[in-house]
């Protein structure tokens, strides 16, 4: 056959038709599709037996119950525990992303490390645990022999009553150093208020679930404050009660925060004027005689004008607020309309179970002491102390004490010396620890030889973080116990890495803000995946290696034994429950006080129970006892704090009162000093810095020492973080004044430093204020975090709160430069 | 499948109470963790990242301090009349007649993204890159959901594997019915304020069937006729008005 044009076309057409009719092309397309989808690097998750393990999340001191789903020996999912008394199912996004903290080896130290090269060069050599413990213990022995044991210091971010924190404290005590520092937090301010007004040192216990009116002064109730799982669950509870019983929430916040947007009423005072607003509400309560007469007359000191011991007439709290905080005056200070103040005060008074709570954002940083006192005074005015739905007066958990630590002569000597940060001295009478003063003294030459840093990342999470960084540069030897490659551990000389939360046992003694005694205990859900070691065990082995009286003070084989010894007290105390039933929440049972304890035959069986359930709690509270509630010198609730009076007197010994008050940073004079009042912040020179900078905390952006896990990056809007650009929030009107529009690139400059950002215009931002989310701007961690955004704490000015001495972080002025 | 055909039988749906939603993002994390959703280094690239469930923040547009903001979580609407299904040339997406849920078969997907163009809710995401679980994070992957590959579209399945799990359990116990709380997606289970309710819209025993009759319930872009099975509740008029395009004066505020 001739191959002409016609035949050629016939052949090609026939060929095409024939091929199409055959299965070949379809098979090929299918194969190609499958082939392009089966790359070896697409992971195939291993199968295995699915199991669920109940434990407690210890990423913060909220202690939410979690269930960990495992496949084989891998953790695949974390869920909230419906039966756990704290959170009853709810957990926060950080807790839910816990597996990314466990398995992301890009952020973890896998073994003990020794620094090579200069500090911050990030060059390390892996060493054995024996060598690591040897090096550190030899160093401490050397410091002790040189006669300066106080040059060993620790910065500790563990919950202050937890066993790891107690072990670290004990190590310093037996070594002979008073320089044990804790990371600052709002809990410290609240504890100070309890001490000053109620004379008690018990935990802060707020019966929020039973309240029907919540007056929140900036507390980020839904932004991660307290135990976040508990707060979010409680909020769902509040609004599910139907229109009449529904808890009414008033949020006081300069920005439309998540809490403010969900609240029934949102008041926006100028930042830092919350105390004046609280006292304005107090004014209305006093003026309209809406206060609780029985409580005020029988159980409070300093409400009316009164005469003291030496016949001196003192001014009462009532006349102070009547004179100085009339709604019109408060309007001038705060910018909140007088009518609104009156309305809120009347509603607060009319509520059946109202509660006023102080705090800012997540409560990771301290608040203003007088401000917290002013807010707590509202609870007192309505007799809301130790009442159902109010602020409860609580004792401590009945844990056993460890045997007394042994102090040799070197230790006794060292402990006599003053703390480097000056906490507890006449200048800072109520502070337990002042991290910003610590860094300042180091920078100005106070010698610290060896510094331990545990569960904390002060270079990133403390206001004026650059100051901390400079201070750390001056410390010859830093030992980090962090499991993470965070900014602070990168500055260390030696890393003794801890396990992450899912790999270890941790106790949390009375989670933040819970209203009944609760002991939470987490258990390891997986075997440690790297060569890390429990910090508790590390401290014990260190002590043993140091030897002598130090070693004798740590008689335990391991951390669990030490924890167990403390928990023995729970068994001895009796009562208590350790297996939550789940049907009726604990807060509903408090008044009835029925405990359904199983009656354990031995401590061992209770201990096994606690290890499985993760909790031990007493579901009862005796409400209303006012006669025994207060341990103040007067035995009453003190509007006029005799503790402040005594401290000021002690501080001014031999000097003039005026100078002392100046040194304490108090502007008020006379009796006002001892009572809740509004201190106008010392802003001084606003010139050239027209805007106010306010760091804000978001529930879906981890801002503490734990770096934000990748899953949470998904939840950030692209007008919060875009590429590596952080967005600041600004009112459109303010932006217009500076010629800025959505997405403009700016430099934000304070007297302390500057940062680059872009603008997001948000109507809910107060004009004249710049809001910056906290938690970004890392220079450490992995590609998911490093180099993204900026850290507002770097440009925060170092100002101290009057009397408490804690750093103020809400009072920095900035200017904006468009680029 | 039209909704009128679906008056009987099971129709799984969801009701999100926007008055309770606080925008915490727990549902997003729970979803991503449950379904092996990969995380980019740059998750701020919202045209390339993957999020089966996305949260939007909407505001009433009023100036300070009259501003109100509401969060709106948006999973796949699991439409009764899904616009994504008929456009798929590879039959990679279909609606399950037994549950009403719209599925996605990754190995069939040819990556043409017609379905993404058709979906008015932006509920579908495309894998522009290989799935990424670097630094040992592939260790938390769940074998119940297959990780996807580059070049395919993925979407919310109402945690279909959880339905399979519940069915298997019911079958083992000799039952045919699945109780309301036996099958719930991960986001519903995780919501700490209990803002999301899930169940069979046709089953009067399930809470959702009553909730969708609330005068405050609405759906997104209802007028397109897609018949979404995700309902929202909000007592705020401005929120409900924003859910669709209304002519001036057409939307009547409730007193």
């Amino acid at each position: 056959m001739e191959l002409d044009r016609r035949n050629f076309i016939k052949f090609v057409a026939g060929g095409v038709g024939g091929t199409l009719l055959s299965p070949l092309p379809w098979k090929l397309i299918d194969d190609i599709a499958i082939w392009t989808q089966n790359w070896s690097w697409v992971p195939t998750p291993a199968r295995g037996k699915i199991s669920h393990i109940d434990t407690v999340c210890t990423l913060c001191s909220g202690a939410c119950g979690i269930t960990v789903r495992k496949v084989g020996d891998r953790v695949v999912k974390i869920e909230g525990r419906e039966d756990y008394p704290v959170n009853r199912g709810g957990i926060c996004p950080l807790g839910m992303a816990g597996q990314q903290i466990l398995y992301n080896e890009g952020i973890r130290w896998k073994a003990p490390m020794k620094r090579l090269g200069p500090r911050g060069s990030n060059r390390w050599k892996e060493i054995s645990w024996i060598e690591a413990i040897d090096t550190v213990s030899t160093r401490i022995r050397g410091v002790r022999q040189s006669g300066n044991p106080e040059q060993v210091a620790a910065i500790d971010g563990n919950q202050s009553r937890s066993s790891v924190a107690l072990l670290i404290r004990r190590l310093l005590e037996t070594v002979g150093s008073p320089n044990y520092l804790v990371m600052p937090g709002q809990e410290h301010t609240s504890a100070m208020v309890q001490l000053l007004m109620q004379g008690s040192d018990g935990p802060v216990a707020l019966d929020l679930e039973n309240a029907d009116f919540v007056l929140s002064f900036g507390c980020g109730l839904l932004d991660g404050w307290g135990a976040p799982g508990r707060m979010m669950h409680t909020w769902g509870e509040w609004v599910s009660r139907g229109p009449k019983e529904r808890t009414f929430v008033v949020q006081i916040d300069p920005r439309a925060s998540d809490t403010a947007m969900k609240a029934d009423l949102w008041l926006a005072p100028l930042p830092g004027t919350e105390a004046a607003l609280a006292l304005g509400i107090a004014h209305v309560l006093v003026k309209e005689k809406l206060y609780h007469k029985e409580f005020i007359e029988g159980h409070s000191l300093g409400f009316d004008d009164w005469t003291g011991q030496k016949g001196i007439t003192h001014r009462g709290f009532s006349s102070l607020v009547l004179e100085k905080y009339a709604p019109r005056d408060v309007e001038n200070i705060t910018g909140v309309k007088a009518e609104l103040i009156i309305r809120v005060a009347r509603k607060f008074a009319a509520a059946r179970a109202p509660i006023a709570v102080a705090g800012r954002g997540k409560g990771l940083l301290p608040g203003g002491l007088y401000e917290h006192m002013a807010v707590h005074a509202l609870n007192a005015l309505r007799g809301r102390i130790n009442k159902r739905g109010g602020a409860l007066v609580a004792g401590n958990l009945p844990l056993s004490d460890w045997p007394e630590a042994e102090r040799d002569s070197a230790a006794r000597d060292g402990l006599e010396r003053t703390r480097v940060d000056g906490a507890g001295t006449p200048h800072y009478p109520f502070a337990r620890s002042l991290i910003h003063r610590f860094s300042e003294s180091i920078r100005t030459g106070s010698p610290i030889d060896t510094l331990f840093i545990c569960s904390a990342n002060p270079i990133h999470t403390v206001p004026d973080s650059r100051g901390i960084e400079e201070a750390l540069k001056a410390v010859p030897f830093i030992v980090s116990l962090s499991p993470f490659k965070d900014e602070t551990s990168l500055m260390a000389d030696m890393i003794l890495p801890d396990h992450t939360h899912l790999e270890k046992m941790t106790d949390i003694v009375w989670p933040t803000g819970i209203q009944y005694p609760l002991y939470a205990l987490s258990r390891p859900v997986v075997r440690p995946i790297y060569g890390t070691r429990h910090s508790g065990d590390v401290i014990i082995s260190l002590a043993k290696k140091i030897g002598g009286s130090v070693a004798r003070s740590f008689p335990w084989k391991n951390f669990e034994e030490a924890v167990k010894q403390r928990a023995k007290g729970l068994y001895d105390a009796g009562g208590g429950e350790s297996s939550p039933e789940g049907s009726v929440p604990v807060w509903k049972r408090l008044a009835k006080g029925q405990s359904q304890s199983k009656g354990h035959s031995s401590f061992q069986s209770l201990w096994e129970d606690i290890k499985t359930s993760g909790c031990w709690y007493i579901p009862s509270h005796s409400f209303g006892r006012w006669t025994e509630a207060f341990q103040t010198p007067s035995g009453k609730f003190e509007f006029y704090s005799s503790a402040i009076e005594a401290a000021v007197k002690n501080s001014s010994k031999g000097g003039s009162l005026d100078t002392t008050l100046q040194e304490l940073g108090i502007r008020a004079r006379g009796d006002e000093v001892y009572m809740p009042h509004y201190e106008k912040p010392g802003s001084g020179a606003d010139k050239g810095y027209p805007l106010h900078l306010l760091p804000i905390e978001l529930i879906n952006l981890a801002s503490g020492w734990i770096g934000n896990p990748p899953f949470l990056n998904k939840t950030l809007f692209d007008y919060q973080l875009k590429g590596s650009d952080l967005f600041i929030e600004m009112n459109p009107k303010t932006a217009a004044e500076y010629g800025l529009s959505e997405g403009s690139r700016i430099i934000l400059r304070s007297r302390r430093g500057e940062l680059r950002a872009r603008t997001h215009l948000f109507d809910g931002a107060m004009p004249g204020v710049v809001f910056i989310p906290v938690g970004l701007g890392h220079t450490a961690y992995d590609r998911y975090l490093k180099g993204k955004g900026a850290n507002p704490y770097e440009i925060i000015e170092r100002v101290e709160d009057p009397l408490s001495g804690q750093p103020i972080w809400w009072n920095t002025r900035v200017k904006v430069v468009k680029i | 499948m039209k909704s009128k055909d679906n008056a009987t039988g099971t129709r799984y749906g969801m009701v999100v109470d926007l008055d309770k939603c606080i925008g915490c993002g727990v549902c997003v994390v729970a979803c991503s963790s449950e379904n092996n959703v990969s995380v980019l280094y740059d998750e701020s690239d919202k045209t390339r990242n993957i999020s089966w469930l996305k949260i939007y923040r909407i505001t009433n547009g009023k100036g300070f301090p009259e501003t109100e903001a509401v969060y709106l979580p948006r999973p796949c609407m699991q439409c009764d009349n899904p616009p994504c299904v008929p456009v798929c040339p590879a039959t990679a997406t279909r609606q399950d007649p037994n549950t009403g849920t719209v599925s996605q078969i990754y190995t069939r997907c040819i990556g043409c993204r017609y379905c993404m163009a058709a979906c008015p809710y932006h509920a579908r995401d495309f894998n522009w890159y290989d799935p990424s679980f670097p630094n040992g994070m592939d260790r938390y992957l769940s074998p119940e959901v297959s990780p996807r590959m580059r070049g395919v579209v993925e979407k919310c399945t109402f945690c279909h594997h959880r339905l399979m799990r519940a069915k298997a359990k019911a079958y083992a116990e000799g039952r045919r019915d699945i109780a309301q709380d036996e099958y719930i997606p991960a986001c519903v289970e995780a919501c700490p304020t209990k803002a999301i309710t899930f169940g069979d819209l046709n089953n009067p025993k399930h809470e959702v069937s009553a909730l969708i009759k609330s005068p405050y319930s609405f759906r997104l872009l209802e007028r397109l006729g897609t018949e979404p099975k995700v309902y929202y509740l909000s007592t705020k008029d401005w929120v409900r008005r924003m859910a669709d395009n209304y002519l001036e004066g057409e939307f009547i505020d409730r007193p």
Side-chain angles (χ1 to χ4, degrees):
Chain A
M1 201 168 66
E2 199 187 338
L3 183 71
D4 57 6
R5 183 174 167 273
R6 172 176 283 251
N7 275 336
F8 178 73
I9 292 172
K10 266 191 198 164
F11 176 74
V12 169
V16 169
T19 318
L20 283 177
L21 283 173
S22 82
L24 185 72
W26 315 109
K27 178 67 185 148
L28 275 178
I29 290 175
D30 194 32
D31 281 358
I32 290 169
I34 290 170
W35 177 68
T36 55
Q37 293 172 357
N38 273 297
W39 301 108
S40 56
W41 55 83
V42 174
T44 313
R47 291 178 180 278
K49 196 173 164 284
I50 296 181
S51 58
H52 293 87
I53 300 177
D54 286 346
T55 182
V56 180
C57 176
T58 53
L59 288 175
C60 77
S61 44
C64 293
I66 52 171
T67 298
V68 177
R69 190 203 304 162
K70 285 173 71 180
V71 172
D73 53 6
R74 301 184 295 119
V75 172
V76 300
K77 176 95 190 286
I78 296 172
E79 283 154 7
R81 258 173 82 180
E82 298 269 344
D83 68 334
Y84 203 74
V86 173
N87 56 316
R88 296 189 60 81
I91 57 169
C92 75
L94 177 65
M96 186 150 265
Q99 72 272 36
Q100 291 191 324
I101 294 166
L102 170 69
Y103 287 128
N104 185 0
E105 60 185 32
I107 62 167
R108 288 194 56 179
W109 295 109
K110 296 192 217 169
M113 294 283 180
K114 195 173 131 180
R115 176 169 64 83
L116 298 175
R119 272 225 176 125
S121 64
N122 201 6
R123 281 172 50 224
W124 305 88
K125 184 184 165 223
E126 193 176 318
I127 52 172
S128 70
W129 274 103
I130 296 175
E131 186 187 342
I133 302 268
D134 259 357
T135 319
V136 178
S137 57
T138 312
R139 179 131 195 147
I140 293 178
R141 266 204 305 270
V143 179
R144 263 164 75 79
Q145 271 155 18
S146 71
N148 299 312
E150 79 283 359
Q151 291 188 11
V152 178
I155 298 176
D156 187 10
N158 288 296
Q159 196 217 11
S160 55
R161 293 176 290 262
S162 70
S163 294
V164 178
L166 293 195
L167 284 175
I168 297 166
R169 247 159 87 176
R170 195 176 175 91
L171 180 72
L172 289 203
E173 184 191 339
T174 51
V175 163
S177 169
N179 290 315
Y180 171 77
L181 286 110
V182 294
M183 291 297 282
Q186 191 230 320
E187 254 193 302
H188 301 159
T189 319
S190 301
M192 242 181 252
V193 171
Q194 292 211 20
L195 183 75
L196 298 183
M197 301 179 101
Q198 300 177 183
S200 67
D201 68 340
V204 177
L206 304 173
D207 194 10
L208 292 165
E209 284 86 343
N210 285 315
D212 71 345
F213 187 99
V214 177
L215 184 57
S216 153
F217 286 82
C219 233
L221 298 172
L222 302 177
D223 300 82
W225 179 85
R230 172 212 185 192
M231 290 318 302
M232 294 192 281
H233 176 81
T234 301
W235 196 82
E237 182 77 31
W238 283 341
V239 294
S240 304
R241 287 180 187 163
K244 279 200 179 138
E245 295 92 66
R246 182 190 157 128
T247 300
F248 195 91
V249 181
V250 180
Q251 179 69 6
I252 291 156
D253 212 322
R255 172 182 168 268
S257 66
D258 289 1
T259 315
M261 288 298 86
K262 283 293 146 193
D264 300 274
L265 187 63
W266 168 39
L267 305 186
L270 291 165
T273 64
E274 288 85 348
L277 186 54
L279 294 164
I281 293 169
H283 173 101
V284 180
L285 295 180
V286 173
K287 193 173 173 201
E288 302 188 0
K289 304 230 179 307
L290 297 172
Y291 53 86
H292 194 285
K293 286 203 180 55
E294 189 201 334
F295 182 85
I296 294 299
E297 282 164 16
H299 306 279
S300 79
L301 170 78
F303 180 76
D304 292 316
D305 293 350
W306 55 293
T307 315
Q309 283 168 338
K310 289 173 195 159
I312 308 164
T313 329
H314 291 285
R315 194 166 174 210
F317 178 69
S318 55
S319 57
L320 171 72
V321 292
L322 283 179
E323 186 204 314
K324 285 203 160 170
Y325 300 100
R328 288 274 159 234
D329 303 330
V330 172
E331 181 178 332
N332 289 337
I333 302 173
T334 63
V336 176
K337 291 253 174 324
E339 297 73 40
L340 216 48
I341 298 171
I342 298 170
R343 204 181 121 204
V344 168
R346 287 181 183 156
K347 267 185 105 71
F348 184 73
R352 183 180 48 81
I355 186 169
V357 285
R360 284 164 195 274
K362 291 182 185 171
L364 292 176
L365 288 176
L369 180 56
Y370 281 122
E371 174 190 320
H372 274 53
M373 283 173 73
V375 174
H376 198 44
L378 293 177
N379 286 326
L381 283 175
R382 284 297 308 151
R384 297 303 303 153
I385 292 164
N386 226 18
K387 280 281 189 184
R388 201 171 140 85
L392 308 188
V393 179
N396 283 303
L397 268 172
L399 291 165
S400 307
D401 287 329
W402 285 328
E404 191 84 3
E406 199 181 318
R407 301 173 176 186
D408 61 4
S409 62
R412 281 197 299 273
D413 265 11
L415 289 170
E416 299 266 293
R417 299 184 195 161
T418 17
R419 285 173 65 100
V420 170
D421 63 351
T425 58
H427 268 136
Y428 299 99
F430 302 115
R432 286 188 13 238
S433 167
L434 295 162
I435 192 137
H436 64 287
R437 295 270 320 133
F438 178 75
S439 66
E440 196 172 83
S441 336
I442 291 181
R443 289 201 305 265
T444 52
S446 281
I448 286 292
D449 179 82
T450 303
L451 175 65
F452 288 93
I453 299 175
C454 320
S455 305
N457 185 13
I459 291 188
H460 193 262
T461 63
V462 168
D464 190 23
S465 51
R466 287 211 177 130
I468 305 265
E469 193 174 348
E470 283 161 38
L472 292 191
K473 281 182 189 153
V475 176
F477 194 66
I478 298 174
V479 183
S480 170
L481 275 70
S482 176
F484 307 118
K485 294 179 175 170
D486 53 49
E487 283 80 1
T488 312
S489 69
L490 288 183
M491 289 279 293
D493 299 87
M494 176 117 3
I495 313 279
L496 310 179
D498 195 0
H499 301 320
T500 56
H501 68 305
L502 295 172
E503 298 167 297
K504 64 173 178 177
M505 167 185 277
T506 307
D507 55 351
I508 288 179
V509 179
W510 207 307
T512 319
I514 303 291
Q515 66 271 55
Y516 47 89
L518 189 135
Y519 174 78
L521 186 71
S522 75
R523 58 171 154 172
V525 294
V526 281
R527 264 203 296 272
I529 52 177
Y530 302 121
T532 55
R533 235 183 235 190
H534 197 301
S535 286
D537 289 329
V538 169
I539 299 290
I540 293 174
S541 10
L542 256 178
K544 295 204 157 143
K545 197 82 197 169
I546 294 168
S549 59
V550 181
R552 284 195 296 279
S553 300
F554 290 79
W556 311 283
K557 268 208 313 285
N558 52 34
F559 177 69
E560 182 172 343
E561 209 180 277
V563 175
K564 198 173 159 186
Q565 195 179 34
R566 279 183 90 199
K568 176 78 172 31
L570 303 177
Y571 176 73
D572 298 338
E577 290 177 20
S578 52
S579 13
E581 294 294 320
S583 50
V584 186
V586 177
W587 56 266
K588 272 192 185 159
R589 296 162 48 197
L590 290 179
K592 297 201 184 90
Q594 288 158 342
S595 170
Q596 304 153 344
S597 68
K598 265 204 324 209
H600 289 274
S601 53
S602 67
F603 168 56
Q604 190 58 33
S605 91
L606 174 69
W607 177 243
E608 292 305 325
D609 227 28
I610 296 177
K611 279 211 294 192
T612 324
S613 71
C615 59
W616 182 94
Y617 54 95
I618 306 177
S620 68
H621 186 85
S622 28
F623 291 105
R625 293 171 302 119
W626 284 330
T627 19
E628 309 107 82
F630 307 115
Q631 274 103 55
T632 50
S634 60
K636 293 176 173 177
F637 179 90
E638 297 194 340
F639 285 107
Y640 180 98
S641 169
S642 14
I644 300 183
E645 192 186 19
V648 168
K649 210 174 264 169
N650 179 34
S651 174
S652 68
K653 227 180 276 171
S656 85
L657 187 67
D658 210 49
T659 338
T660 311
L661 292 178
Q662 239 167 42
E663 279 167 358
L664 288 168
I666 301 172
R667 288 170 173 236
R669 291 295 177 268
D671 286 343
E672 220 177 321
V673 172
Y674 316 109
M675 289 190 280
H677 65 272
Y678 167 63
E679 286 272 325
K680 197 174 181 306
S683 46
D686 289 357
K687 236 173 143 197
Y689 296 92
L691 296 170
H692 201 114
L693 163 68
L694 212 53
I696 49 168
E697 291 172 301
L698 311 174
I699 178 93
N700 53 340
L701 178 59
S703 47
W705 79 287
I706 310 266
N708 204 47
F711 275 149
L712 268 63
N713 289 353
K714 255 188 211 309
T715 68
L716 291 175
F717 295 117
D718 57 359
Y719 49 80
Q720 291 173 324
L721 177 72
K722 178 83 184 154
S724 58
D725 296 327
L726 173 81
F727 283 68
I728 59 156
E729 275 183 14
M730 214 181 209
N731 191 285
K733 278 186 201 142
T734 314
E737 280 171 36
Y738 295 92
L740 303 171
S741 50
E742 179 72 29
S744 297
R745 287 178 192 279
I746 56 156
I747 291 177
L748 200 63
R749 196 168 287 152
S750 78
R751 274 176 289 248
R752 189 75 184 90
E754 63 178 44
L755 58 81
R756 277 160 189 270
R758 294 173 69 184
T759 50
H760 169 57
L761 310 190
F762 179 41
D763 285 314
M766 176 178 272
V769 186
V770 170
F771 298 90
I772 311 188
V774 184
L776 294 165
H778 280 284
T779 52
Y781 289 102
D782 63 346
R783 250 179 90 187
Y784 285 105
L785 264 189
K786 190 177 176 174
K788 286 186 185 174
N791 182 6
Y793 289 158
E794 285 182 8
I795 63 167
I796 295 282
E797 283 174 60
R798 203 183 70 72
V799 186
E800 279 174 10
D801 181 47
L803 197 59
S804 81
Q806 297 284 0
I808 283 181
W809 48 276
W810 54 88
N811 194 31
T812 296
R813 311 287 308 187
V814 287
K815 65 175 159 195
V816 163
V817 183
K818 195 175 170 183
I819 48 174
Chain B
M1 186 176 295
K2 292 279 158 53
S3 60
K4 60 176 187 295
D5 302 329
N6 228 340
T8 55
T10 307
R11 277 168 70 233
Y12 283 114
M14 193 183 267
V15 180
V16 188
D17 188 342
L18 300 184
D19 294 343
K20 282 192 194 170
C21 173
I22 57 171
C24 63
V26 166
C27 50
V28 178
V29 176
C31 167
S32 305
S33 160
E34 179 81 24
N35 293 298
N36 296 339
V37 175
S38 108
V39 191
L40 300 179
Y41 283 117
D42 182 12
E43 274 290 325
S44 70
D45 187 351
K46 302 296 180 192
T47 58
R48 293 289 183 267
N49 83 328
I50 295 173
S51 199
W52 291 9
L53 174 59
K54 194 175 171 201
I55 297 180
Y56 292 87
R57 181 165 82 179
I58 53 176
T59 62
N60 65 351
K62 289 192 183 166
F64 184 88
E66 265 90 51
T67 319
E68 285 179 26
V70 163
Y71 289 100
L72 187 139
R74 189 243 52 211
C76 169
M77 296 289 124
Q78 309 289 2
C79 307
D80 267 347
N81 190 12
C84 54
V85 169
V87 299
C88 180
T91 340
T93 183
R94 67 186 280 270
Q95 192 183 30
D96 184 340
N98 298 318
T99 58
T101 305
V102 179
S103 66
Q104 178 78 10
I105 302 160
Y106 312 122
T107 44
R108 265 194 209 165
C109 175
I110 56 170
C112 70
R113 289 171 278 139
Y114 282 7
C115 54
M116 289 175 70
C119 174
Y121 304 105
H122 299 282
R124 289 168 163 272
D125 294 310
F126 182 65
N127 282 275
W128 291 93
Y129 309 104
D130 283 310
S132 146
F133 305 97
N135 298 331
M137 283 197 278
D138 55 347
R139 285 175 287 187
Y140 67 67
L141 293 180
S142 160
E144 287 184 285
V145 182
S146 57
R148 281 70 63 187
M149 39 319 244
R150 182 180 60 195
V152 304
V153 169
E154 59 182 80
K155 69 177 276 291
C156 157
T157 62
F158 267 180
C159 288
H160 191 254
H161 60 286
R162 287 184 165 224
L163 174 63
M164 295 293 107
R165 214 194 280 160
K167 271 187 170 172
K169 187 166 169 273
Y171 183 73
E173 290 166 5
R175 288 180 289 127
R176 294 190 75 98
D177 288 345
I178 295 169
Q180 182 179 213
D181 52 356
E182 267 188 296
Y183 161 46
I184 50 168
C187 55
V188 182
E189 177 188 78
C191 180
T193 66
K194 306 224 182 297
I196 320 179
T197 321
F198 184 81
D200 177 4
L201 300 174
N202 282 350
N203 189 336
K205 282 187 211 151
H206 287 198
E207 230 177 303
V208 281
S209 64
L211 287 173
I212 59 173
K213 296 190 185 109
S214 153
Y216 297 118
S217 88
F218 64 96
R219 295 180 286 180
L220 299 181
L221 300 173
E222 221 162 333
R223 296 173 167 203
L224 294 179
T226 55
E227 301 290 335
K229 285 197 286 295
V230 175
Y231 288 73
Y232 293 93
L233 296 176
S234 175
T235 51
K236 293 181 193 291
D237 287 323
W238 67 267
V239 174
R240 291 200 305 277
R241 184 185 318 198
M242 232 177 237
D244 213 332
N245 298 301
Y246 292 98
L247 296 174
E248 208 174 318
E250 190 188 2
F251 184 95
I252 296 154
D253 288 355
R254 275 167 210 281

